[in-house]
Amino acid sequence: MNNTLFDKVWDSHVVHQITGGPDVLFIDRHLVHEVTSPVAFLGLKNRGVKVMSPERTFATADHNTPTINQHLPVADPLSAKQLKALEENAAAHGISYWGLGHEKNGIVHVVGPEYGITQPGATIVCGDSHTSTHGAFGAIAFGIGTSEVEMVLSTQCIMQPKPKTMRITVDGKLSKGVTPKDVALFIISQLSTSGATGYFVEYAGEVFKSFSMEGRMTVCNLSIEMGARGGIIAPDEKTFEYIKDREFTPKGKAWDKAMNYWSTLETDSDATFDKEYIFEGSTIEPMITYGTNPGMGMGISGGIPKAESLDGGVATYKKSLDYMGYKEGDSMIGKKIDFVFLGSCTNGRIEDFRAFTEIIEGRKKADHVTAWLVPGSHKVLKAIKDEGLLGILETAGFELREPGCSACLAMNDDKVPSGKYAVSTSNRNFEGRQGPGSRTLLASPTVAAAAAVMGVVTDPRTLI
Amino acid sequence: MAYDKFNTLKCSAVPLPIENVDTDQIIPARFLKATERVGFGDNLFRDWRYNQDNSPKNEFPLNDSKYTGSILVGGKNFGSGSSREHAAWAVYDYGFRCVVSSFFADIFRNNCLNVGVLPVQVSAEFLKKIFTAIENNSQSQLIVDLQSQTISIEGTEYSENFDINSYKKENMLNGFDDIDFLMNIKDQIGEFAKKTPL
């Protein structure tokens, strides 16, 4: 046998092949949120079709929800209408719906794994590009558009050309202060924001093996930021330990049967990939971005690259630095910041709050910094309280908000004002992503915490 | 939903010679609150097109009256970022039927094909020729022929073939969509579902 893990999962889900065209791929789990689903449900209505497999479909509200006063009616009428639409569509089609205020509510890519919806060997889609997160469990998971949401709702299938395969291996040991987010930002900075377009990426090597499931999710989450359809990591004991006994995972004999299959989910030793990259973990520093796409990242102690060092694209590069108000060669250390955002499907899990708390404990939030700490789900929020992190955060001058996507895409009121700088643990630093005119520096929770207490970009290794 | 048939297109084009145009620029997230697919063209490239006081930015190509036509020509890696189909809707709703670039992000490319906008990927050299032709004469005509999978610049010898899989090509030529196809094999899908555990 010479199959990759990706091939094994993909091939076992092909319902039909079209010569010279896409595969018809069966979808095991479909996650639905309020922003990319209403037009799909409308399409179903127009065709007079019901959802084919409500039991494989899960809906949650996250993108367009407030992160304060969630017990009150949503003030923005358009947002309220969109949330209502999802609630009604879910009810009409018999889909479980974890709306605002529901104990299981949270960011779709945080709650999926938390409740065992995410499983090894499964195909998982959602109308959201960060669906790649679920690949951390050995699933094929990727984001789709609304037409495709309609396809999956009506036929539980999607039509996709099979992507090429890429393996990224990171061996060795990471140094102090380097987190899964840094490893991902480092890889994206090496491959660029389009370097993996057309590929599905398997992450391999000691570094990913050493990560917790949360860390693996952070890495797979960011696969899309280098253009990849998704990322996947072979399931192992950590994976099985994480998912065991969660609400939607198999129990008893069904678990044993599933384990028999899941334990075969790895790339065969003689399998080949269309492309391979190998990096050494010990060379990776804490990372930060300085530009307007996630590929524009650098080791925190370095200088902003000069345009002449680039392979083309100089005009776009200069436009990007102009937007950020930075100059070629600038050091990032010491740059003043205004906002800190801890949260999102990239870094809104309990491990991220632990890492943030570790840095701020015994210190104070810088006076001029506004900090938004947004747990990825109610389960994460509860863990923050249960583990005693909330007290430490409050003592240091931080407040906790309620779960949601929040300032990652700033659809709600959590918007960074024009011209202001935010160190964010989210996934995109595009122009205006966190609000019109906002300037985003992507970083790990550790780097974000250091910036929050110092008020300027700070090497977190000096605070550990 | 089924869309217009696409056969050939001959028109001038709007140039956007910027690389890595992401879907947050094509349609910012704050305009994704609609529950119907209407009016997205108004907010296409909102923050590049308008100042924060809603006055138009005159230097932006969409606001420059010398550029017209239903073809948008963008720099390398067009449509990266979010999976929001709203980006493709905005492009379509504004009046574009074809986007030309030297490289497309995957999801945006799929979304375009699913809403009836033809993504045409050309070589970096050919893209440069198009930008130069438009710079020299803003009314330079591009000819996109889906049947023969060619794009050419009228009045020049410049022409190039582009890729599209034969299934999607038939769909675009006939205005079919994927759901029509999937509904036709629903029995086969049902059988597959039965043997696939939850």
Side-chain angles (χ1 to χ4, degrees), chain A residues 242-276:
Chain A
Y242 180 101
I243 61 175
K244 201 171 183 351
D245 295 328
R246 293 193 185 245
E247 184 174 339
F248 290 92
T249 40
K251 311 283 183 313
K253 281 200 176 121
W255 170 266
D256 296 338
K257 195 173 164 209
M259 277 296 290
N260 282 339
Y261 169 53
W262 294 341
S263 56
T264 67
L265 293 175
E266 59 180 356
T267 291
D268 298 328
S269 57
D270 50 355
T272 54
F273 290 79
D274 296 307
K275 212 163 194 175
E276 291 239 31

Side-chain angles (χ1 to χ4, degrees), chain A residues 47 56 82 147 431 433, chain B residues 24 32 48 85 177 196:
Chain A
R47 287 175 203 259
R56 295 180 186 272
Q82 202 172 49
S147 295
E431 285 185 32
R433 169 81 178 183
Chain B
D24 274 86
L32 307 184
W48 283 354
E85 193 167 298
D177 70 12
T196 308

